[in-house]
Amino acid sequence: MQLHDFYLSGNCYKVRLFLGLIGQHAELLTLDLPNGAQKRPEFLALNPLGQVPLLVDDGQPLADSQAILVYLARRYADEHWFPLDALSQGQIAGWLSLAANEIHNGVAKARIGLKFGRPVDLEDAQARGRQVLELVNAHLAGRDWLVGERPSIADVAVYPYLALANEGGLDLAPYPELHSWFARIRALPGYLDLP
Ligand SMILES: N[C@@H](CCC(=O)N[C@@H](CS)C(=O)NCC(=O)O)C(=O)O
């Protein structure tokens, strides 16, 4: 298994984290994102969107961190990471969707602006970011995990950019439930430090 990777990318970290949590190994192929390696023809042949992460397993390329989590969970992980019952699957799909939209356009975009100096509407991204921090903090009151009684790929999909929110200029101090959840995730066997 090979992972086309960029160390500082939260989406790539998401996949590396999950590989660690389920005790799977992938060879890391680092792409020089700042110099546009993701837009070269040889990489576009694998992922026409020109983005990392990209996993190649059994010769099959698979793009998108959320899609990769689903694949790895179904193929290699204990069932609790992506339970088979309809309600859990629906709830997890909702969190994966939140990661791809509201989290990407909020906390992640604010980080892209502040940490990487890219042109973004920082105020808008931070306002969206705060909405998500509040939503997840409220959801976690009285719960250990986002879905059900055990960690799932929902936690893995949502955790990275929330835990990195300070790099987008967002203060995490007002969200005690998030801190307890971060600590639970960090205590899982195979946990990998944030980039
Ligand atoms: N929906 C995708 C987004 C992937 C994405 O935005 N990747 C960024 C790095 S975090 C990237 O490759 N950016 C380079 C580019 O778009 O040129 C996912 O979740 O994997």
Side-chain angles (χ1 to χ4, degrees):
M1 195 162 23
Q2 297 172 316
L3 179 66
H4 295 258
D5 181 55
F6 181 67
Y7 179 71
L8 292 175
S9 152
N11 287 317
C12 291
Y13 166 71
K14 205 183 282 183
V15 176
R16 296 196 307 272
L17 169 63
F18 191 49
L19 286 165
L21 294 174
I22 64 174
Q24 287 291 324
H25 173 77
E27 180 190 357
L28 298 183
L29 304 176
T30 298
L31 256 79
D32 186 357
L33 250 55
N35 285 310
Q38 73 280 21
K39 304 299 184 209
R40 297 208 182 109
E42 58 273 24
F43 187 74
L44 291 175
L46 295 172
N47 179 10
L49 283 175
Q51 293 177 335
V52 288
L54 176 90
L55 186 80
V56 181
D57 194 18
D58 286 342
Q60 294 290 334
L62 184 63
D64 190 279
S65 57
Q66 276 64 242
I68 296 169
L69 293 183
V70 167
Y71 170 79
L72 290 173
R74 199 66 310 133
R75 177 141 193 208
Y76 294 111
D78 287 347
E79 196 186 314
H80 71 86
W81 289 107
F82 192 35
L84 289 168
D85 68 281
L87 182 61
S88 300
Q89 294 219 334
Q91 290 172 337
I92 288 173
W95 289 109
L96 300 186
S97 193
L98 187 95
N101 182 2
E102 286 81 0
I103 290 178
H104 175 80
N105 290 309
V107 279
K109 207 162 254 180
R111 178 173 179 259
I112 287 173
L114 272 189
K115 190 173 170 74
F116 301 103
R118 298 254 296 277
V120 303
D121 183 340
L122 187 60
E123 235 174 83
D124 178 72
Q126 288 178 332
R128 290 168 191 265
R130 271 183 220 99
Q131 254 183 351
V132 165
L133 294 173
E134 274 161 32
L135 179 145
V136 179
N137 188 64
H139 178 80
L140 284 167
R143 288 189 177 89
D144 283 348
W145 307 105
L146 291 178
V147 173
E149 304 298 321
R150 301 198 54 194
S152 73
I153 56 172
D155 300 286
V156 181
V158 171
Y159 167 75
Y161 285 108
L162 267 55
L164 291 167
N166 61 323
E167 294 190 349
L170 289 156
D171 181 10
L172 282 166
Y175 309 109
E177 302 292 347
L178 290 185
H179 288 283
S180 309
W181 176 63
F182 292 167
R184 283 190 287 279
I185 292 177
R186 288 167 190 167
L188 290 170
Y191 176 79
L192 194 76
D193 271 340
L194 286 163

